[in-house]
Structures are given as structure tokens and as C-alpha cells.
Amino acid sequence: MSTKVRLAQRPEADELLGRSPLAALTGMLLDQQIPMEWAFSGPYTIMQRLGSGDLDAHEIAACDPERFAALLSEKPAVHRYPGSMAKRVQQLCQYLVDNYDGDAEKVWKDVDSGKELFRRLNGLPGFGKQKAQIFLALLGKQYGVRPEGWREAAGVYGEEGSHRSVADITGPESLAEVRAFKQEQKAAAKAAKAAK
């Protein structure tokens, strides 16, 4: 797998995301309560701090939890909540080791349908329905993983030409469009809550 993506908006981090299925999955896992590009830069930072040229699910799963949490907590921290996210990253890696021989790409490789791909993604630790749909849309739109029915399985995130999520980010302009969409959604939700 080698794809040109611009999710982190940092060439070295995006290069890793384009070649490492585990980095892409980890970036998606980290994508909550922090800016998207910070989340998707996280895998590169983790790789650097581990002192290796790639991310390895076996290595991360086997890492001492306190040491791994300390790696994510170093300044600048990988996430706003580095301790709890370190635990989640290790849980994800352990799940990949137990179910996919540590190979993140096996989650989607040779999958027959969008429904099955959604089921697999939704089964990953730290991936709920929305995160699974967004990642499925990202795989389809930017990584060329398009099993039959993938757009339907991704829900609104699979819509062509949408600017809803990280799946639609291809550079600074689309990042700004996705940010604007998210701000509108937040404002609408706040207004609806105030109207109750």
C-alpha cells in the first residue's frame, strides 16, 4: 500500500500514512477531541519516539504500558489525553496481533463487501459506528479500497463531493471546508439544544 495522502499536512507524517496501514488506523483512532492534522501526525511521532522506521503492531502491543504512555506524553504530547490514548493504541495493536497477525491491512484486504468491511472496522477497539464509517470512507475515497457497497456502508461519509470528515481532506483547502462543515454542525446542534 502506498498512497499519496495529505491528512496530517506534514510531508513526513503523510508519507507514513500513505504507506503504513497501521499508521492510518492509528491516526483515525487518535482523531477525537483534537484537530485532525494533530491526530494524523501522531503515528509519525510515535514511530520516531520508538526509534524505528515504521510502526509495528507486535512491538507496540508488547511495549511496557507505562513506557508507552510516557512516549505519548513527551512534549509535544501526541494527544490531549496521552495516557488514555496510549492504552487505546496498545489495545488496537493487541487486537490486530490476535486477529490479523499484526497486519492492519488484513482488516480490509480481500474483503468482499462494504458491509463486511464496516463490520470489521466497527469491531476494532476504539472504533464505534461513526469512526468505522469515516475510516471506511477514507479507505474508499483515498486508498482505493472499494469493495461492493462501500459508499452505502460508509453512510453520509461515503457521499461523493462531501466535506464532512477526514475522508474528504486532500489538502489545505479541503481541510478548511471540512472544518467549516464541522463548525456549522456544532452551531446547529447548540442552537437545537438551546431551543429545547
Side-chain angles (χ1 to χ4, degrees), residues 11-190:
E12 63 284 2
D14 283 329
E15 186 275 329
L16 177 65
L17 292 167
R19 70 177 164 83
S20 167
L22 180 56
L25 262 185
T26 302
M28 189 72 228
L29 179 69
L30 294 170
D31 187 19
Q32 58 188 54
Q33 299 178 311
I34 59 171
M36 290 171 278
E37 60 275 32
W38 182 10
F40 282 91
S41 292
Y44 180 77
T45 305
I46 293 169
M47 179 190 78
Q48 279 192 308
R49 291 179 184 171
L50 285 171
S52 56
D54 206 348
L55 289 180
D56 181 301
H58 291 93
E59 178 189 3
I60 293 171
C63 200
D64 174 69
E66 285 182 21
R67 178 177 169 257
F68 193 67
L71 281 177
L72 271 68
S73 300
E74 269 177 43
K75 301 278 184 249
V78 169
H79 195 275
R80 179 180 289 154
Y81 305 107
S84 62
M85 292 315 278
K87 196 178 292 178
R88 285 189 176 185
V89 171
Q90 285 194 290
Q91 287 169 341
L92 174 64
C93 288
Q94 188 60 58
Y95 184 88
L96 293 171
V97 167
D98 294 345
N99 296 280
Y100 297 100
D101 301 320
D103 182 352
E105 193 173 19
K106 285 185 177 178
V107 175
W108 55 85
K109 201 175 171 98
D110 305 323
V111 76
D112 291 339
S113 69
K115 259 188 186 146
E116 172 61 15
L117 180 51
F118 171 76
R119 190 189 66 70
R120 289 182 184 188
L121 292 169
N122 198 36
L124 296 173
F127 278 67
K129 179 183 181 199
Q130 184 181 35
K131 197 174 281 280
Q133 286 185 317
I134 291 170
F135 194 74
L136 201 160
L138 177 63
L139 286 172
K141 290 179 175 182
Q142 297 199 43
Y143 288 90
V145 177
R146 300 181 180 126
E148 195 175 322
W150 73 271
R151 282 193 191 274
E152 293 76 12
V156 293
Y157 303 104
E159 290 172 5
E160 207 165 334
S162 68
H163 291 97
R164 292 178 180 278
S165 73
V166 70
D168 304 307
I169 296 174
T170 54
E173 285 173 17
S174 52
L175 172 64
E177 288 173 18
V178 169
R179 271 232 165 83
F181 175 81
K182 287 184 174 228
Q183 295 298 345
E184 286 169 28
Q185 295 297 101
K186 275 186 185 162
K190 207 174 188 179

